[in-house]
Amino acid sequence: MVAEERFLKSYKIHALQAVGWEGVWGLALLCTGLAVVYQVPYGPDRCGGVGPWGGGAGARDCLENTWAAVGEIGGNGVLFAALVGNLVSISMFNFCGISVTKALSATHRTVLDSVRTMAIWGVSLALGWQTFEPLQVVGFATLLSGTLVYNELLTLPCLPKPAPAEEAELPLSASENLSTPFL
């Protein structure tokens, strides 16, 4: 997130455009990764054979059968709707996160991520998806206090104060005037 903050401060790029580029790069990396694991000759799936989605005669072991997954998503409306809902949810989450990072800082975003965890936990408790366990409160308090100490929002007397870091000035270049560094 710190690299993302530095990137957003260095270039004049809208948060929605940054999310779009993150999505493009994520999709490219995911497709590359899926092509690789389809070729790995080990695993529980069967790939490359005849039949629906490559599991029939002549099939071989593979780590992940990408084409079978695509076929299952296309053949099941509920699964497809869940996938689209997940994509929309993650896109909105990333847009809000990048907007917070751009407007405030990566530190604020990290603290808000911890609060988001608490909100999701509260909703799942209210809906009865989970039962309350007192140890979860201890775990969340540990998570939140660790985040606050790491981001230097909470100082403990037993820990030495870090030396003040100086902001390194980025060299001026023509790329700082670009609306996007990708084009």
Side-chain angles (χ1 to χ4, degrees), residues 23-40 63-64 66-67:
V24 166
W25 284 105
L27 181 65
L29 289 171
L30 179 66
C31 288
T32 303
L34 285 174
V36 168
V37 297
Y38 183 77
Q39 301 301 325
V40 174
L63 194 58
E64 183 66 42
T66 306
W67 299 116

Side-chain angles (χ1 to χ4, degrees), residues 30-106:
L30 179 66
C31 288
T32 303
L34 285 174
V36 168
V37 297
Y38 183 77
Q39 301 301 325
V40 174
Y42 172 80
D45 280 344
R46 304 288 292 161
C47 299
V50 218
W53 319 122
R60 59 180 170 71
D61 290 339
C62 64
L63 194 58
E64 183 66 42
N65 191 341
T66 306
W67 299 116
V70 169
E72 289 173 10
I73 291 168
N76 186 333
V78 174
L79 187 58
F80 181 76
L83 179 68
V84 170
N86 194 16
L87 288 172
V88 169
S89 170
I90 290 171
S91 297
M92 289 171 50
F93 169 74
N94 285 340
F95 173 71
C96 291
I98 286 179
S99 297
V100 166
T101 302
K102 190 171 184 177
L104 300 172
S105 71

